[in-house]
Amino acid sequence: FWLLALACCQGTVCASAQTFFFLCAFLWNYKGQLKIADITDKYIFITGCDSGFGNLAARTFDKKGFHVIAACLTESGSTALKAKTSDRLHTVLLDVTDPENVKKTAQWVKSHVGEKGLWGLINNAGVLGVLAPTDWLTVNDYREPIEVNLFGLIDVTLNMLPLIKKARGRIINVSSIGGRLAFGGGGYTPSKYAVEGFNDSLRRDMKAFGVHVSCIEPGLFKTELADPIKTTEKKLAIWKHLSPDIKQQYGEGYIEKSLHKLKSNTSSVNLDLSLVVQCMDHALTSVFPKTRYSAGKDAKTFWIPLSHMPAILQDFLLLKQKVELANPKAV
């Protein structure tokens, strides 16, 4: 009798737990689908709109009804974007590494948005820089990605912050899975690790002002940023100036073998850029935006999970992707 009663109680508890679990899942999903009431009177500012994620985001949010201010690096990028969008969208030429340019742009945005302030800032502008083994590089090889991806992002944010606070709006920083896990030598990964740190401190500082700060961590996407031809050309340019010792250690065929490995792994590269823009959209329009978004199958199933694994496992899996050196003992 007591065993039967205990089993019934356990069954009741189990059923209650399942009901509670499904109720929580339903409420969590429902909460994520709640949207802000009106977007047609809201202004958003996006950097890096010449191509890639920024370009698609500018076109997408223009169609949705936002007042988009799209920052482009080049006149040609600006002209091409205007041709594909409505009169609501405005473009500005912006080099995020030029403090005076950033300051003047922020002043123009302030005069443009008026008392409404700026609802959304999407820090998307970024460069890959040189991806090469660390012992091939000089400190100057690290400067460009850190200047653009980190200091440029910080400078734009600080100049736009008063307008964001006025609107009690949103800040979205585009980081990378390279901000979670170092997949190659060069300035890109250090810059993205630093973006993650800046994003976290900014998020906590802005909570009191009602400003939401989100971070997007895309996996590997096919964009101009990750053009394998340009990446290889940069590697070759550095290779030509390396010392004979390093060339002997790596071997003459190292770059060709690296390129072959890169081509064999193209199946893991995401082609649908809208996956990142969907994250931006949720961060801009959800009543309850997420703290972090991962975009791309590789990010969700490999890079982000691996970033939580022990270092010994990370090293084992990532080193398997690298080309074996010809003679590493030739020092």
Side-chain angles (χ1 to χ4, degrees), residues 57-75:
R59 291 185 281 118
T60 300
F61 295 131
D62 175 56
K63 287 180 182 177
K64 286 180 74 77
F66 279 106
H67 293 276
V68 177
I69 304 172
C72 297
L73 181 62
T74 64
E75 189 70 55

Side-chain angles (χ1 to χ4, degrees), residues 220 260-269 321:
L220 305 178
H260 179 72
K261 277 225 170 197
L262 189 65
K263 287 180 178 178
S264 65
N265 292 330
T266 53
S267 59
S268 63
V269 175
Q321 308 301 318

Side-chain angles (χ1 to χ4, degrees), residues 50-301:
D50 296 76
S51 62
F53 303 137
N55 187 274
L56 180 58
R59 291 185 281 118
T60 300
F61 295 131
D62 175 56
K63 287 180 182 177
K64 286 180 74 77
F66 279 106
H67 293 276
V68 177
I69 304 172
C72 297
L73 181 62
T74 64
E75 189 70 55
S76 60
S78 171
T79 302
L81 181 58
K82 280 189 211 175
K84 296 177 181 178
T85 51
S86 74
D87 294 337
R88 278 191 311 274
L89 183 140
H90 289 79
T91 61
V92 292
L93 293 180
L94 176 64
D95 178 354
V96 298
T97 65
D98 182 343
E100 193 60 32
N101 190 186
V102 172
K103 186 177 180 180
K104 286 181 179 178
T105 299
Q107 290 170 346
W108 180 87
V109 171
K110 182 179 180 180
S111 67
H112 189 71
V113 303
E115 289 303 311
K116 290 185 178 296
L118 190 63
W119 173 256
L121 167 61
I122 302 178
N123 283 311
N124 166 75
V127 297
L128 189 62
V130 177
L131 278 185
T134 303
D135 52 344
W136 292 21
L137 305 175
T138 67
V139 70
N140 286 328
D141 294 314
Y142 285 79
R143 294 190 190 281
E144 184 192 19
I146 291 175
E147 286 289 344
V148 176
N149 302 348
L150 177 61
F151 292 130
L153 180 149
I154 292 174
D155 198 15
V156 170
T157 302
L158 296 180
N159 276 275
M160 298 293 179
L161 210 47
L163 300 175
I164 298 285
K165 289 163 74 174
K166 182 185 285 287
R168 295 174 67 84
R170 311 285 171 86
I171 299 172
I172 301 158
N173 295 314
V174 180
S175 179
S176 164
I177 50 93
R180 288 289 199 101
L181 207 58
F183 57 77
Y188 182 79
T189 293
S191 73
K192 292 300 185 179
Y193 265 72
V195 165
E196 298 267 349
F198 173 73
N199 180 87
D200 287 351
S201 60
L202 178 67
R203 185 183 68 252
R204 292 169 187 134
D205 289 341
M206 290 299 104
K207 278 189 181 293
F209 299 98
V211 173
H212 290 282
V213 179
S214 299
C215 184
I216 300 177
E217 298 166 330
L220 305 178
F221 280 80
K222 189 175 182 180
T223 64
E224 288 187 18
L225 181 77
D227 185 342
I229 296 176
K230 291 180 181 178
T231 302
T232 304
E233 287 174 350
K234 289 178 181 179
K235 265 189 179 181
L236 283 169
I238 292 176
W239 174 265
K240 291 176 183 177
H241 298 93
L242 290 177
S243 69
D245 285 349
I246 291 180
K247 286 185 176 181
Q248 186 181 353
Q249 291 161 15
Y250 281 84
E252 287 294 333
Y254 179 82
I255 291 181
E256 289 75 13
K257 291 176 183 176
S258 297
L259 184 58
H260 179 72
K261 277 225 170 197
L262 189 65
K263 287 180 178 178
S264 65
N265 292 330
T266 53
S267 59
S268 63
V269 175
N270 300 281
L271 302 178
D272 185 3
L273 305 190
S274 70
L275 295 174
V276 175
V277 177
Q278 287 168 19
C279 296
M280 295 175 180
D281 185 21
H282 190 273
L284 277 179
T285 64
S286 174
V287 174
F288 301 101
K290 297 178 183 179
T291 299
R292 273 184 169 78
Y293 296 84
S294 58
K297 288 182 179 179
D298 61 324
K300 294 175 184 289
T301 63

